[in-house]
């Protein structure tokens, strides 16, 4: 057995049943021989992003794996890897490499060295019999601590070298759990009960720890409203009376009001990173209780008054038990005043947006598209995501997520085109869900050919393109370049392109066609057909910002 075959055998032991790949690596053939499915994408970046999408919707219970060839393949992958690193997504990456004696010679690309700033851990197998130890360390890092991409680089000569150890001695590492101290839990519980106007910020860690039910129990015990970060969107149903919605650069009126007016913040499963793709939170005037499983994020951008470092599910359970013990037989009655305030703010906000959300204008208003998505899908049976730029800022506040991963929020770094391969990976993880991505025509140019991958891999998704003939994120960015040289204008019949790749293409030019197209797409997906809906839209520069 050579090293490549040994890696394949270890992946089998780790219950990996597929990998994304492009264009070549000995591992692809070795995996196929033992029943692990390789899915070839049209570009390394897309393959990496699909592995990311699989991991994002699997909560660290299943892991996306991506493999590519050395040199150009490893170089082309860096954008997708950067996205996973920024958003703390666990993915195992197995690049090929030049022969060991050539790896440090210019211009050969050494992935384990060059990736160090964009991965959690990177290691190169330099001797054949290292394979078990290196792979064990890789999977330990995948399963434990801060989530993030992990790299195992395999030089060409090492890959084909025979091992002298028994591959059956490999044991999959287990996930370890840690929780905050009893004293810190007590202090946090006491502070929350003393607070006049507390706020819970729910991040991606709530989803990854599968603690959405525990979060809802805590919310209902304490009557504390919940705001979710963009990656944390869908941590609690946005139909819940104490839900404030989610935010990116844009958010809801009720969320912004509570962020400004709260006195105590309980951040659960959130890095609390200051980012252009989130809401500004002035914690200098607030008391911050910060939970995350990553020490590096605590006191990074915000001073933490109480540190609850540990698994988010365990933390919520301990808080619930401690608050219950402190209350004893006393019960916190539902605060109807608080619920009524949230409801009034929500109604005021939606009323201000009523014209946009229900617009009958032609070309079609993008907010009308979002409203029709809300009305024509079943969120409990769907997964929806945005792409970078205007679609993200427009949809995040308005899409109504109800169950975990009914929406995928992403983007501390924002790669155009991410949403198509992301949805393919999400579909692989959730074959029974209707998977829909909303993107602009600019983003389609970055990953549109992977529509053919969805067709070929029999992973039917639906892509909605807001076809406005330009880049809506930068409407006033370069007026002279636009006027004299046509910069940012673009055109295409994207439905026809999709048809050429074996998908179903639907063109929508009128309001009457819009809802029907979304319903038809769900039927087509159930029948195994990938769908692209090319909606002719106008610009709407209005954003839900304060």
């Amino acid at each position: 057995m050579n090293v490549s075959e040994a890696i394949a055998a270890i992946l089998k032991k780790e219950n990996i049943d597929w990998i994304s790949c492009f264009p070549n690596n000995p591992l692809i053939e070795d995996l196929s021989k033992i029943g692990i499915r390789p899915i070839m994408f049209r570009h390394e970046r897309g393959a990496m992003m699909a592995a990311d999408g699989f991991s994002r919707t699997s909560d660290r219970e299943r892991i996306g794996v991506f493999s590519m060839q050395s040199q150009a393949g490893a170089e082309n992958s860096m954008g997708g890897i950067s996205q996973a690193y920024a958003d703390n997504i666990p993915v195992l990456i197995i690049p090929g490499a030049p022969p060991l004696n050539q790896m440090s010679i210019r211009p050969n690309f050494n992935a384990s060295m060059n990736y160090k700033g964009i991965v959690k851990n990177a290691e190169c197998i330099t001797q054949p019999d290292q394979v078990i130890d290196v792979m064990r360390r890789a999977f330990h890092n995948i399963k434990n601590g801060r989530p993030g991409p992990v790299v195992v680089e395999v030089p060409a000569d090492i890959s084909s070298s025979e091992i002298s150890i028994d591959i059956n001695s490999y044991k999959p590492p287990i996930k370890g759990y840690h929780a905050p101290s009893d004293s810190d839990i007590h202090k946090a519980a006491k502070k929350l009960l003393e607070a006049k106007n507390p706020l819970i910020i729910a991040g991606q860690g709530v989803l990854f720890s599968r603690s959405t039910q525990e979060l809802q129990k805590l919310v209902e015990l304490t009557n504390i409203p919940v705001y979710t970060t963009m990656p944390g969107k869908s941590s609690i149903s946005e139909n819940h009376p104490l839900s404030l919605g989610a935010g990116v650069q844009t958010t809801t009126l009720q969320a912004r009001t509570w962020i400004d007016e709260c006195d105590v913040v309980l951040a659960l499963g959130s890095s609390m990173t200051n980012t252009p793709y989130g809401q500004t939170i002035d914690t200098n005037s607030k008391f911050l209780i910060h939970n995350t499983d990553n020490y590096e994020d605590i006191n990074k951008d915000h001073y933490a008054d109480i540190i609850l470092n540990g698994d988010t599910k365990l933390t919520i359970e301990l808080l619930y038990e401690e608050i219950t013990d402190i209350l004893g037989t006393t019960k916190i009655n539902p605060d109807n005043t608080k619920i009524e305030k949230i409801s009034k703010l929500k109604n005021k906000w939606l009323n201000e947006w009523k014209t946009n959300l229900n617009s009958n204008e032609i070309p079609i208003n993008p907010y009308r598209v979002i409203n029709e998505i809300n009305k024509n899908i079943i969120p409990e049976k769907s997964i929806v995501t945005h792409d970078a730029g205007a679609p993200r800022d427009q949809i995040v506040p308005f899409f109504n997520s109800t169950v975990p991963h009914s929406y995928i929020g992403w983007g501390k770094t924002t790669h155009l085109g991410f949403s198509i391969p992301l949805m393919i990976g999400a579909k692989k993880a959730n074959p029974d869900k209707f998977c829909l991505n909303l993107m602009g025509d600019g983003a389609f140019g970055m990953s549109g050919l992977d529509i053919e991958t969805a067709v070929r891999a029999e992973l039917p998704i639906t892509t909605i393109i807001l076809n406005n003939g330009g880049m809506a994120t930068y409407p006033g960015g370069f007026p002279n370049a636009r006027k004299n040289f046509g910069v940012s204008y673009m055109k295409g019949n994207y439905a026809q392109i999709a048809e050429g790749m074996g998908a179903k293409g639907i063109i929508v030019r009128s309001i009457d066609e819009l809802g029907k197209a979304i319903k038809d797409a769900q039927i087509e997906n159930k029948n195994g057909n990938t769908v692209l809906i090319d909606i002719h839209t106008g610009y709407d520069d209005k954003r839900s910002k304060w």
Side-chain angles (χ1 to χ4, degrees), residues 85 146 271 292-301 309:
Y85 178 74
R146 170 175 57 86
S271 66
T292 173
D293 62 359
N294 179 24
Y295 263 119
E296 297 171 20
D297 286 330
I298 297 173
N299 286 313
K300 180 179 70 176
D301 290 329
N309 182 248

Side-chain angles (χ1 to χ4, degrees), residues 17-38:
D17 60 7
W18 80 287
I19 69 160
S20 59
C21 56
F22 187 85
N24 185 42
N25 189 298
L27 188 59
I28 297 170
E29 180 67 9
D30 292 328
L31 288 169
S32 71
K33 290 178 180 177
I34 58 173
I36 296 176
R37 180 188 183 188

